[in-house]
Amino acid sequence: TRITEPYLNQTILSAIQDDAFFQVKDGYLNANLAVAVTATELSDYLTNLANRSQDYNFCLKIAETLKTDNLTKAAKTTLDVERILWPAKIIDADIPTIIIPIQPKWAKELFDEYLANQCLFRSESDLALKRELVYYRSHRGNGGLKPGVVGRIIWYVSYNKNYCGTGHVRACSRLDEVVVNKPKNLHQQFRRLGVYELEDLMKLTKNDANKKLMALRFSDTELFKNPIDLAEIKEILGKPVTLQSPLRIDKEQFTMIYREGTQNQ
């Protein structure tokens, strides 16, 4: 993606730099690589890109980082590279990846334009403008989710007969932060990011103001071109699952799910 507008105010400049745009000769450039490859393959790809055009010289530093010893074991570093090159994925990185079930009601509000378009009365919020959001759930049965964990989320939209396309894995996001706290505290901390009202959080705790919830701050959601149904997910994982609670998967399973969901038919 290239931005050539010569007169950008400071707010916009800050926003595009946060979104990993780099200043080049005639504006700002973002790599936006739609690839799912190993760290070594991505490094070679970036080097070749820079060799073809000076505008992509900023990729050389990233390419060098990808050659660092034990880079694939550094989750935060590889996630940062994925953020800069989004939607690129480093498939041999040891990044915690969790399949998280979500009700269609919240999927359509948070990230799923297809589900939102099925509603007669659509939300006034523009999903396309929401890069960073928050999702709340019980902090029990968490599949390894806990404060300090960053990684990837694979979203499984639970089946609901009132929506077409449910009962499928439908999207992938980056997990930026996990916070556990009481409903009021979480709402105060994340209200700018979400569509949840305090009463929604209280419903999750059955109106117990002292019962703790888990907040998942996530960003850069990529909707799958090919949603994957539960039967195929079971086949990929090699075991029967119901996906009623978060499930940690390994990098090989993530690669199969991601490639299946994003490939052109």
Side-chain angles (χ1 to χ4, degrees), residues 133-144:
L133 287 152
V134 66
Y135 173 65
Y136 300 96
R137 55 160 284 105
S138 166
H139 69 94
R140 303 187 187 282
N142 54 35

Side-chain angles (χ1 to χ4, degrees), residues 9 26 38 52 61 88 95 97 112 142 155 179 182 187 201 218 231 244 248 259:
N9 65 42
D26 60 347
T38 66
R52 291 203 302 268
K61 186 174 182 180
I95 296 175
T97 302
D112 200 317
N142 54 35
W155 295 105
V179 178
K182 296 176 183 178
H187 185 253
L201 274 63
F218 66 95
Q244 294 180 354
R248 177 87 175 252
R259 285 180 169 169

Side-chain angles (χ1 to χ4, degrees), residues 148-178:
V149 170
V150 293
R152 304 189 191 103
I153 296 172
I154 295 288
W155 295 105
Y156 172 74
V157 181
S158 302
Y159 176 73
N160 184 311
K161 65 180 181 180
N162 295 319
Y163 294 88
C164 295
T166 57
H168 286 69
V169 161
R170 298 188 53 83
C172 176
S173 303
R174 184 174 57 254
L175 174 62
D176 298 306
E177 185 180 19
V178 179

